[in-house]
Amino acid sequence: MPKNTITWLGHATFQFTTAQGTSIVLDPWLTDNPTCPIKREQIEKVDVLLLTHGHADHTMDAVAIAKDHHPTVVTIGELAVWLEKQGVENIENINMGGSVTLGDVTVTMTRAHHTSTYTIDDQLLYAGEPAGYVLRIEQGPTIYCAGDTDVFGDMALIRELHAPDIAILPIGDRFTMGVRGAALATKLLGVTQVIPMHYGTFPVLTGTPQTFREALRAANLEKVEVIEMTPGQTISIGG
């Protein structure tokens, strides 16, 4: 029987495949990503492309994937302008708190505490507010993808509104929250399973799954399951 799955492609790039066969790619950085085990051309199908913000380590392959697979692209309006200038079509422009249903998945945009820029003609331009997403899979789990962010108190509202089952949280520090912040985020969200991301790509990203587990224990959250994935690994997720 088909299952819902998650594949980690290194750093902050994930592919979700629902039991009904919908393929969702989040923040595609495959080209020149030192932790990505595959080439962009090896991705066989993309129905939905989600972009949290404009930084290159989250959008490097966005235009190429959009042109290769013609997915529905979900992002904020300012980043949509950049994509349109690159010839990308079929963009669903949403904003904080807004939702769009695409087949068997409903996508809701949430806040993130970070920055967001893109480059046109060597000029660094504002790419709108950074974001996270809640993915509500029909007859499957609800997944909170935090994007690049620090912990913030309104994660408690994400818990109240969306009750996520699984959170995908950055733990690397330096450019996002570190393990202590991620542990507090876990508490605010009320999730029992966390997939760490945005760590190990470069030496400056010092957080690790082990130090994250230690931070969870220190916060009396030792029952939370840290799902430590390796780049290229696919796991099944229940609902």
Side-chain angles (χ1 to χ4, degrees), residues 110 134 152-164 188-189:
T110 65
V134 173
F152 54 96
D154 285 354
M155 286 180 173
L157 297 181
I158 293 173
R159 174 183 185 173
E160 185 172 348
L161 285 168
H162 303 291
L188 292 170
L189 293 163

